[in-house]
Amino acid sequence: MTHHAPHEQEIRAAAAHFGRRRFLTVTGAAAALAFTTNLPLTGAYAAEADARKIGENPFTLGVASGDPQPGSVVLWTRLAPRPYEPGWGSPRSNGGESGGGMPNARVTVRWEVAYDEHFKRLAGQGRADAHPEFNHSVHIEPTGLAPDRVYYYRFRAGSWISPVGRTRTAPARAARLSDLKLAAVSCQAYHDGYFTAYRHLAEEDVDVVFHLGDYLYEYPVDAAGGVRRYTDRKLPAHFAHETVTLEDYRLRYALYKSDPDLQAAHAAHPFIATWDDHEVENNYASDISEDNLPRAEFLVRRAAAYRAYWENQPLRRPQRPDGPDARLYRRVQYGQLAQFDILDTRQYRSDQAYGDGWHAPGPESLDPGRTLTGAAQERWLIDGWRQSSARWNVLPQQVTFSERRNATGAGYQLSMDAWDGYAASRDRVLAGAESAGVDNLVVLTGDVHVHYAFDIKKDFKDPGSRTAGVEFVTTSIASGKDGADKPANWAAYMAANPHMKFYNGRRGYVTVTLDQDTVRGDYRTVSAVTTPGAPVRTAASFVSEAGDPGLKPA
């Protein structure tokens, strides 16, 4: 197998510290480091377990679909009869099992895709192996499906049948769509509240959901589930420490994916997912950790986190990690109406200027050599725009793209973790969009736990400069707890940023509707997440016209 050169030496060096002997190959090193790379092994774990002997429901983590194409969509599930149970290699395990209550062997899973939710007319079926090396997750990529069509899917293992999922393929590339509706979500800290917004999103009529990062958080979760304050259950003690190892991340995904509201949203809609920082560690930059660990040591952690992310998302084979590297940026077409260029602004970025945090812009943050995307991804993005014939070019990504000053006057500061800390990188992207003739640019953003609506200016220092596009920033699903409609800095932010058209600090999500003439963003909020069951409302709606960008109240 071909390995990514940038991190071979670091992983090899790390193996000397983490293994009992020096490993001579990257493959051997990474396999020793808790299966952080490579395919299922053919030796020790080639045995097959009889699925008929699974005595408890293995579909406790639900089902999911994602990355739609015109004739295909990824179908996902993971077998875990006891999802919070550690694996066989752990001092916390019962021995003989690979985690989640599954035997340390591969298990055959059957899958079905149907035109109807009762599975009377099948569109496809097959079998797949759930391997212990992938934590008994399965990623099915059925082909031959019709474009722009709703399908239903389910899995079987032994006598057990999974919940039914509903998904939808992408339209044919040449299709002329009248409209398209998507949702954008991000930031779901389990310990900060209930995933009530997902329950409402499951009932929305959307074609696809974009998850813009922070699917889980590495921080400890106590026995009561943080502010959820459970009284009917007690979470195991192994959730009460930060995630570092592959098993830590796998268990944390099990906790998050056991949430019924999250399961409902996945079962209702296909997701297109990309990560931000907390899937690994807060505010990491490339191979640089927040706590400045030795790079080799941090890359081992990153490899574990990337592996667990792939195992738990409906991602295609090209997105599968190779050690500490994974190609997550990718392009999805929705007919002639929209081209989606999904970014990864974490894996390739320069370190945050001035040690991160908020600072006045200066020589370090303005250095033209700084990058948020890395050179290869930047070229890929701009080349893709040059070849685009879509009405709308949509950029689902992680951190705030538009300038965001924290005060009026000369003493303002900017976030060094967002595009403001990488001004030259943003300038190159905007220049690339302009040179490619991208007239209808829409940026989708997560990360900041608040709703923003921005006009993207060619020159943020000049409020009268050309509007290059619009940015819809979605708030968090749960991170930040209940929040407020007007956070304490609301007036300062609105005054300091005339291109900011909206700011709201509640939890929720954004729906975005595209047609030939307009893009419309509806900011959906829930009143509370520290208690379950809050209703949803639309806090604000904005539209921007094709060919004449700029947000106006709808």
Side-chain angles (χ1 to χ4, degrees), residues 491-512:
Y493 274 35
M494 293 296 287
N497 301 285
H499 56 285
M500 181 185 285
K501 305 302 178 182
F502 180 63
Y503 176 15
N504 179 285
R506 293 287 184 189
R507 311 284 72 85
Y509 52 92
V510 176
T511 62
V512 177

Side-chain angles (χ1 to χ4, degrees), residues 51 54 57-66 73-79 107-114 119 122 124-130 136-142 152-167 266-267 313-314:
I54 298 175
N57 174 24
F59 298 110
T60 58
L61 304 179
V63 298
S65 69
V73 64
V74 181
L75 309 178
W76 174 93
T77 194
R78 196 187 122 209
L79 306 181
V107 174
T108 298
V109 176
R110 291 169 291 160
W111 58 269
E112 298 173 316
V113 179
F119 292 81
L122 290 185
Q125 59 183 318
R127 294 171 181 263
D129 285 331
H136 290 100
S137 62
V138 292
H139 298 73
I140 309 299
E141 298 184 28
Y152 298 87
Y153 63 96
R154 66 186 178 188
F155 300 90
R156 296 172 182 263
S159 61
W160 299 98
I161 303 177
S162 76
V164 173
R166 176 188 179 277
T167 191
H266 273 301
Q313 300 292 352

Side-chain angles (χ1 to χ4, degrees), residues 136-364:
H136 290 100
S137 62
V138 292
H139 298 73
I140 309 299
E141 298 184 28
T143 56
L145 303 180
D148 199 18
R149 166 148 202 164
V150 170
Y151 288 95
Y152 298 87
Y153 63 96
R154 66 186 178 188
F155 300 90
R156 296 172 182 263
S159 61
W160 299 98
I161 303 177
S162 76
V164 173
R166 176 188 179 277
T167 191
R168 188 176 191 130
T169 51
R173 190 158 287 209
R176 299 198 173 277
L177 305 181
S178 59
D179 58 50
L180 164 68
K181 186 175 182 181
L182 62 92
V185 298
S186 74
C187 302
Q188 50 200 54
Y190 186 99
H191 54 280
D192 269 2
Y194 289 90
F195 295 166
T196 307
Y198 272 134
R199 180 65 59 177
H200 295 296
L201 178 55
E203 297 167 2
E204 296 258 15
D205 182 15
V206 298
D207 296 286
V208 64
V209 176
F210 286 87
H211 199 294
L212 304 176
D214 295 344
Y215 192 95
L216 59 63
Y217 280 69
E218 75 276 28
Y219 303 139
V221 181
D222 67 21
V227 301
R228 295 184 179 215
R229 298 185 186 89
Y230 290 143
T231 57
D232 62 340
R233 74 198 79 172
K234 187 175 182 181
L235 299 180
H238 52 246
F239 292 127
H241 71 266
E242 186 167 328
T243 54
V244 176
T245 66
L246 178 58
E247 181 181 81
D248 290 339
Y249 287 106
R250 284 172 164 174
L251 285 167
R252 195 62 54 86
Y253 278 106
L255 175 64
Y256 277 60
K257 294 187 82 72
S258 65
D259 182 274
D261 296 334
L262 176 59
Q263 287 190 18
H266 273 301
H269 311 300
F271 273 55
I272 296 175
T274 184
W275 52 40
D276 192 19
D277 52 339
H278 288 287
E279 287 88 353
V280 181
E281 179 203 47
N282 179 57
N283 282 20
Y284 82 94
S286 184
D287 55 4
I288 302 167
S289 77
E290 182 181 38
D291 300 324
N292 291 311
L293 290 173
R295 292 194 183 197
E297 187 177 333
F298 179 68
L299 281 171
V300 172
R301 179 178 180 176
R302 197 178 91 173
Y306 283 10
R307 176 63 168 256
Y309 182 85
W310 187 83
E311 290 173 348
N312 285 282
Q313 300 292 352
L315 294 168
R316 293 186 180 273
R317 189 173 292 253
Q319 277 62 63
R320 187 167 62 196
D322 186 4
D325 305 289
R327 166 74 181 261
L328 208 61
Y329 64 87
R330 59 207 190 276
R331 184 167 291 125
V332 178
Q333 301 281 153
Y334 267 69
Q336 293 293 301
L337 187 60
Q339 175 174 300
F340 297 100
D341 294 289
I342 299 103
L343 296 191
D344 173 357
T345 62
R346 204 47 75 171
Q347 187 176 180
Y348 315 104
R349 65 159 66 193
S350 308
D351 198 10
Q352 290 92 344
Y354 301 112
D356 205 359
W358 287 71
H359 296 274
E364 189 175 337

